[in-house]
Amino acid sequence: MIASNYPFLTNELYDVVRLFGAEVEVEHALSYENGVFSNSFSVNGERFSSEDVHVCKDELSFKRYAKRFSKLALYRHLAKLYGEMPWGALTGIRPTKLAYAERKEGRAFEPLFRQMGVREDNIALIAEILSHQRAIYEGNKGGLDLFIGIPFCPTKCAYCSFITADIRYTERYLDDYLTVLEKELAGAKHLLKDVKSVYIGGGTPLVLDEKRLERLLKAVKDCSLSGEYTVEAGRPDVFTRGKLDLLKDYGVNRICINAQSFLDETLVKIGRRHTAKDVFDAFELAKGYPFSVNLDLIAGLEGEDEGDFAHSLKSAIACNPDNVTVHTLCLKKGAKLKEETDRLDGSVIDSMIALSRAYLSEAGYAPYYLYRQKMMAGNRENVGWTKPGKACVYNVDVMEEITDNLAVGANAISKKLCGGGRIERYASPKDIPTYLAKIDEIIAEKDKLFEET
Ligand SMILES: C[S@@+](CC[C@H](N)C(=O)[O-])C[C@H]1O[C@@H](n2cnc3c(N)ncnc32)[C@H](O)[C@@H]1O
Ligand code: SF4
């Protein structure tokens, strides 16, 4: 149980407790007088307090510093009991946004990160990421990215908590889904001005057969877009030459061929129907096409140790992708694997992440975007790595929230930047039948979001 005299702090304190995975009772009281924040805590009956000085100019700044100092005080206490965390008291999804916010106020971000207990290697990583995404970040002149969600997969992977389903159970919706997507895209055409990038993801878009895939690609083509165009083609078990030909013919210039692991034993355990050889074969096939290729790996998969992960990293590098995204296993509700992963040892994950940084840097990749999620094994992060000049615009835009995002499909979240850091969102229904039934309402809501704000 966590209680605070300022209710807006309860969730923030809960996020700190969750970092340690500990069962603790927290009572918290904050007072603010003459520029002094006084935080008093009782944690499992043990009392402590701290004082920090900051003169707040308005309500917004009060909230910001109240969060910062109360989280920090609780973090320091719990870190003494359970050990330090790689990102210290930072619990947000986007540490890079916090770094930019400091820079915008004329300060270096490093002192704040140090104050929050972030480890030096992670501070250095953030600095590297900011420098490698600079061209995209600083070249940003607004505009919009288009996301198209295809929540269908060949099988559901055991670790995955995305809203997507095994196509055996959802195939009956597929044609209607495409019809509604066509309608949604046509309905959004007048909003699709100055589109910087298109991303078809999900899900596994290449689970569509060639006829259906062409319908989808044609609907996008009818919107007359240009620029970066990614299809998260996804699993190598759905790759065919015919589908890749279609992607090329319709102007796709970036695809993902995701391995997750290069150990066949792991791939069986996590319910993916392909082998490591299938990944190599998919890369061989993709060589004949003008695509930039991304490959996803996950650190911390069931039963894997550092040696296994090193094998996956080396195999990934041998495939020579333009981008490698190293995810850390995330323990969200909805994934079958949750039971096993709860017991993962943070130090094993730490070694895996250290290996990924060493091997990928050595192979000529640079980190260019990063995000964190709640419930990640070892409280780590996901990092996108790129070869020089191959950074994905869409990923930077989405992570840094520097462009509008018009998202179509079930469970697609559109975002409109409204100035002053405020973002308006619209999320379409998660389940496919509701999405299909409500399409007219969804189109109208999106019109309202992008035209009125
Ligand atoms: C939306 S999924 C789509 C990728 C594609 N369907 C595939 O599986 O190859 C994007 C990526 O998120 C990562 N991912 C999904 N669930 C995850 C989890 N529970 N923990 C860590 N990474 C996860 C995987 O690396 C996956 O490739
Ligand atoms: S990881 Fe990819 S293929 Fe597996 S269930 Fe999730 S979205 Fe589908």
Side-chain angles (χ1 to χ4, degrees):
M1 208 267 298
I2 295 174
S4 172
N5 61 334
Y6 282 91
F8 75 91
L9 292 174
T10 312
N11 280 345
E12 303 288 330
L13 296 175
Y14 178 65
D15 284 345
V16 174
V17 169
R18 186 161 42 194
L19 291 177
F20 296 91
E23 294 280 320
V24 286
E25 297 262 315
V26 178
E27 279 175 49
H28 170 246
L30 171 72
S31 66
Y32 178 64
E33 256 175 68
N34 302 323
V36 180
F37 284 88
S38 303
N39 281 291
S40 305
F41 283 92
S42 162
V43 173
N44 288 344
E46 194 181 336
R47 295 188 173 279
F48 63 96
S49 58
S50 70
E51 287 197 344
D52 294 276
V53 179
H54 186 87
V55 180
C56 301
K57 53 182 190 304
D58 53 25
E59 179 69 14
L60 208 66
S61 132
F62 165 73
K63 283 196 162 171
R64 183 164 154 195
Y65 285 92
K67 279 182 197 171
R68 184 175 297 175
F69 295 133
S70 60
K71 284 170 81 168
L72 196 51
L74 180 60
Y75 172 79
R76 283 186 181 136
H77 179 78
L78 295 179
K80 267 191 260 156
L81 301 176
Y82 304 107
E84 303 282 342
M85 292 293 148
W87 291 93
L90 290 193
T91 55
I93 289 169
R94 298 177 167 85
T96 42
K97 269 192 91 172
L98 182 62
Y100 282 122
E102 285 298 286
R103 284 188 176 178
K104 268 182 204 139
E105 291 186 15
R107 295 185 290 268
F109 76 86
E110 287 88 344
L112 169 63
F113 276 46
R114 275 188 196 110
Q115 181 188 29
M116 298 303 281
V118 179
R119 250 173 29 196
E120 284 301 322
D121 60 325
N122 287 334
I123 294 178
L125 179 72
I126 293 292
E128 248 198 286
I129 287 172
L130 298 195
S131 94
H132 290 296
Q133 62 173 225
R134 185 182 298 143
I136 296 174
Y137 192 89
E138 288 179 1
N140 175 50
K141 303 270 185 298
L144 177 138
D145 295 301
L146 171 67
F147 176 82
I148 299 162
I150 305 293
F152 300 90
C153 289
T155 56
K156 177 88 189 198
C157 305
Y159 55 80
C160 184
S161 47
F162 281 80
I163 310 283
T164 178
D166 186 324
I167 195 147
R168 279 175 303 166
Y169 308 118
T170 51
E171 190 161 13
R172 64 185 186 281
Y173 296 121
L174 202 45
D175 290 316
D176 287 347
Y177 191 82
L178 289 176
T179 304
V180 167
L181 265 190
E182 285 164 348
K183 184 171 179 178
E184 213 189 341
L185 279 167
K189 200 169 168 181
H190 64 292
L191 303 172
L192 295 173
K193 292 173 208 120
D194 191 14
V195 175
K196 291 169 71 185
S197 73
V198 179
Y199 196 103
I200 305 183
T204 308
L206 282 207
V207 78
L208 303 182
D209 57 32
E210 287 173 23
K211 211 164 139 230
R212 286 165 168 149
L213 181 64
E214 184 156 20
R215 265 186 81 181
L216 172 65
L217 295 168
K218 189 167 174 325
V220 178
K221 187 170 181 236
D222 289 346
C223 297
S224 316
L225 309 172
S226 59
E228 184 185 277
Y229 185 175
T230 300
V231 174
E232 197 171 37
R235 287 176 30 169
D237 49 340
V238 288
F239 273 63
T240 64
R241 192 176 289 281
K243 291 181 193 176
L244 295 193
D245 285 343
L246 280 173
L247 297 183
K248 181 177 141 230
D249 292 347
Y250 279 88
V252 172
N253 47 35
R254 184 173 179 273
I255 62 169
C256 304
I257 305 176
N258 296 323
Q260 319 303 353
S261 166
F262 279 84
L263 269 80
D264 286 341
E265 205 186 308
T266 305
L267 291 168
V268 170
K269 278 190 204 152
I270 61 179
R272 286 174 78 89
R273 219 176 32 192
H274 61 84
T275 60
K277 181 173 178 303
D278 293 334
V279 181
F280 287 114
D281 290 347
F283 268 89
E284 246 346 273
L285 188 61
K287 262 189 197 161
Y289 295 84
F291 306 134
S292 247
V293 183
N294 169 74
L295 180 148
D296 282 356
L297 288 178
I298 302 180
L301 284 172
E302 188 188 2
E304 292 203 349
D305 62 16
E306 292 94 324
D308 298 329
F309 192 62
H311 169 74
S312 289
L313 282 165
K314 285 181 199 154
S315 309
I317 291 166
C319 290
N320 199 25
D322 301 280
N323 305 149
V324 179
T325 314
V326 180
H327 298 87
T328 303
L329 190 65
C330 180
L331 321 170
K332 281 202 223 155
K333 276 192 282 184
K336 284 191 229 145
L337 260 189
K338 191 169 182 325
E339 271 302 293
E340 283 83 354
T341 48
D342 276 343
R343 292 190 286 274
L344 272 177
D345 182 345
S347 70
V348 175
I349 299 286
D350 268 7
S351 310
M352 290 177 172
I353 300 295
L355 284 174
S356 71
R357 293 183 187 179
Y359 286 13
L360 289 166
S361 307
E362 171 68 28
Y365 293 87
Y368 79 102
Y369 80 97
L370 174 149
Y371 67 103
R372 301 180 65 221
Q373 287 166 286
K374 295 187 198 318
M375 336 264 278
M376 293 186 95
N379 287 312
R380 298 299 314 222
E381 65 278 337
N382 299 326
V383 177
W385 296 79
T386 184
K387 283 192 181 165
K390 296 287 187 171
C392 168
V393 171
Y394 183 85
N395 286 332
V396 174
D397 284 354
V398 165
M399 287 313 150
E400 306 309 337
E401 301 189 308
I402 50 177
T403 39
D404 294 342
N405 192 301
L406 195 149
V408 301
N411 193 36
I413 301 171
S414 296
K415 293 183 184 178
K416 166 87 182 161
L417 312 187
C418 303
R422 202 168 61 80
I423 298 175
E424 293 260 337
R425 292 175 171 76
Y426 173 76
S428 48
K430 288 183 181 176
D431 77 291
I432 295 173
T434 315
Y435 165 71
L436 299 179
K438 294 199 165 169
I439 189 60
D440 292 328
E441 192 184 309
I442 293 167
I443 292 174
E445 285 296 331
K446 242 171 265 179
D447 259 354
K448 209 158 76 184
L449 176 68
F450 285 97
E451 284 187 332
E452 284 179 8
T453 46

